[in-house]
Amino acid sequence: MGRSPCCEKAHTNKGAWTKEEDDRLIAYIRAHGEGCWRSLPKAAGLLRCGKSCRLRWINYLRPDLKRGNFSEEEDELIIKLHSLLGNKWSLIAGRLPGRTDNEIKNYWNTHIRRKLLNRGIDPATHRPLTGSDNHQNNNITTAAATTAAVNSSPDIPTTTTISFATTHHLIKQEAEDIKTINDSLDRRKINTHLPENQERCPDLNLELRIGPPHEQDNAMSASYMPHQQSVEYHRQKLVTGGAIICFGCSMGSIKNNNNIKECSCTTSLNGTSSNSTGYGYDFLGLKNVGLDYRSLEMK
DNA sequence: AAGCTCCACAACCGCCTGTAC
DNA sequence: TGTACAGGCGGTTGTGGAGCT
């Protein structure tokens, strides 16, 4: 038994919205606010799918939308954010007030992709297109390569090399690792991806430790983990150029847990750090090298 | 002027996730 | 614990307009 459709397709309009439909949708949302998209079309007298209404409102009718061309600053910001986040258009849009994920996605595919290609940069990896030779590094973008490529462009001012490019892949790796944990029946087998990451990204010394919930820690660590490692168990240190970032703390999930030992990492949630020498500091206001996901969830 | 191609972007589709029951 | 649902996301498609021949 499949899922029921989100709407009665037989009785819904499709395609471009008319002025009357727009007016109805705007009037309804002004009166009742957003939400409950499934029931909205009927309540508003629209022969549209709820999803369609939501898309129309978010991408086109919302009053706080910034219409018009993207500025050069927005271009560069999108490029940098894309190098960080990949195709996470909603997260990127969260950093560009008045822009929607759909708008940015379209703009990327039509303009920025070409712009990067003209610069000799692969828009997918943010690596220079020249030299498909370096196979070992194909999966991980090096910060130096990316920024050097960007900086080499005549229309881009020279800036200090920062490490945002690596973080993108780091985040992906983290996500994959977390998924791996969730999927794994035997979580004890999860420990580190260090050798692999070192190989894939020689300028990044990545150390990941991911483990089971702490309650299982005592019993399990005695059997298979050295004590020191169990103390560190609740966090993953991402070591980038000497700066130690606690992934757990950056996710805001562990500091207040009484069951675990106080985290001693050098990164704190308020964006300050005792170690200000790490790469990537103050990029886009993300003081932590470790990306605080919550700060990006602005929508 | 007509036909064709390319481009930009609005809109759709299918899948995923979180939540309520 | 499983199921259904609503909302959200990213990829893809459809379409109208601009430019070219």
Side-chain angles (χ1 to χ4, degrees):
Chain A
M1 190 179 77
R3 268 180 64 173
S4 63
C6 67
C7 52
E8 292 260 0
K9 289 183 186 288
H11 300 103
T12 55
N13 292 338
K14 289 177 73 173
W17 280 64
T18 65
K19 180 78 170 63
E20 186 185 349
E21 287 176 314
D22 283 348
D23 291 341
R24 277 180 183 270
L25 182 57
I26 292 169
Y28 183 86
I29 291 177
R30 275 183 183 157
H32 302 93
E34 294 182 45
C36 200
W37 295 106
R38 190 181 174 92
S39 60
L40 184 149
K42 192 175 181 180
L46 288 163
L47 294 174
R48 288 279 179 175
C49 170
K51 278 187 169 187
S52 182
C53 293
R54 176 183 163 271
L55 260 295
R56 183 64 178 174
W57 173 255
I58 287 175
N59 291 328
Y60 201 80
L61 298 175
R62 232 172 52 194
D64 58 331
L65 288 180
K66 186 198 289 183
R67 311 300 299 182
N69 296 334
F70 283 75
S71 66
E72 192 64 29
E73 289 75 23
E74 284 177 309
D75 275 19
E76 295 307 318
L77 184 55
I78 291 169
I79 292 169
K80 287 176 181 175
L81 286 169
H82 188 272
S83 75
L84 254 173
L85 303 164
N87 292 356
K88 301 293 180 188
W89 305 116
S90 61
L91 289 179
I92 294 172
R95 287 273 159 183
L96 284 110
R99 302 295 188 184
T100 70
D101 52 356
N102 203 42
E103 190 179 15
I104 292 170
K105 178 172 59 181
N106 284 331
Y107 188 67
W108 176 272
N109 287 327
T110 55
H111 292 91
I112 298 182
R113 272 176 58 87
R114 199 179 312 141
K115 186 175 179 177
L116 289 179
L117 287 171
N118 287 340
R119 289 182 188 174
I121 299 171
D122 184 345
T125 63
H126 295 264
R127 290 177 58 83
L129 282 171
T130 55
S132 55
D133 39 19
N134 200 352
H135 289 300
Q136 271 204 329
N137 299 328
N138 275 352
N139 292 334
I140 292 288
T141 303
T142 64
T146 302
T147 49
V150 170
N151 292 341
S152 68
S153 176
D155 54 346
I156 302 300
T158 301
T159 58
T160 305
T161 298
I162 54 177
S163 194
F164 58 82
T166 57
T167 317
H168 165 213
H169 300 283
L170 240 162
I171 293 164
K172 281 192 166 182
Q173 186 63 51
E174 288 165 8
E176 287 169 11
D177 288 336
I178 290 167
K179 186 175 187 303
T180 302
I181 289 170
N182 290 335
D183 292 342
S184 173
L185 292 174
D186 184 359
R187 299 180 177 190
R188 286 170 294 179
K189 290 181 180 173
I190 303 297
N191 44 42
T192 176
H193 293 250
L194 180 58
E196 182 190 358
N197 282 310
Q198 275 185 328
E199 181 180 339
R200 289 161 63 190
C201 187
D203 71 330
L204 174 65
N205 179 12
L206 174 63
E207 178 186 353
L208 270 178
R209 289 198 193 103
I210 301 177
H214 186 74
E215 278 66 22
Q216 302 164 32
D217 187 0
N218 291 339
M220 298 174 81
S221 62
S223 61
Y224 73 95
M225 294 183 76
H227 175 66
Q228 181 57 39
Q229 199 170 1
S230 72
V231 169
E232 301 284 327
Y233 205 57
H234 66 284
R235 61 190 169 117
Q236 303 131 44
K237 284 180 179 177
L238 309 179
V239 183
T240 57
I244 299 174
I245 307 99
C246 170
F247 180 58
C249 289
S250 75
M251 295 297 286
S253 61
I254 61 173
K255 284 255 178 181
N256 296 325
N257 188 337
N258 293 329
N259 294 330
I260 59 177
K261 195 166 182 174
E262 178 78 14
C263 178
S264 61
C265 73
T266 58
T267 303
S268 63
L269 285 176
N270 62 8
T272 61
S273 173
S274 60
N275 183 349
S276 60
T277 58
Y279 296 119
Y281 274 87
D282 206 17
F283 168 59
L284 303 174
L286 302 172
K287 294 279 186 181
N288 294 338
V289 182
L291 185 66
D292 183 349
Y293 290 80
R294 295 161 304 159
S295 69
L296 290 166
E297 294 282 4
M298 297 178 67
K299 288 180 77 175

